[in-house]
Amino acid sequence: MSDGNFNRSLLPHTDFQSGVRTGGARMRARALEAFAQALDEVFPAASDDEKVRAELVFRKALND
């Protein structure tokens, strides 16, 4: 009688987890591109240092 444990090598191989990670990475990249575009359109007079600082804050919020 099984105790609820099983050998994972008997299960079929799936790429679900790697697909989830890849999708998350692509969405983060798209979010960063959209943020940079919005920053350029809304604050065209912002200096490069301000834009870099804003992107760092956004990246930190995105990863939390």
Side-chain angles (χ1 to χ4, degrees):
M1 176 172 250
S2 174
D3 61 356
N5 294 320
F6 52 87
N7 187 348
R8 292 194 186 273
S9 66
L10 298 176
L11 295 175
H13 177 71
T14 63
D15 291 328
F16 178 76
Q17 285 299 328
S18 62
V20 169
R21 284 190 297 272
T22 301
R26 290 186 70 188
M27 289 307 295
R28 279 190 297 279
R30 289 181 68 188
L32 288 169
E33 290 171 6
F35 178 76
Q37 182 181 6
L39 192 62
D40 288 339
E41 289 180 16
V42 175
F43 300 107
S47 70
D48 288 339
D49 290 337
E50 291 171 331
K51 289 180 182 180
V52 168
R53 194 170 69 225
E55 185 178 337
L56 288 174
V57 170
F58 184 75
R59 281 180 185 263
K60 185 176 182 294
L62 194 61
N63 290 332
D64 286 344

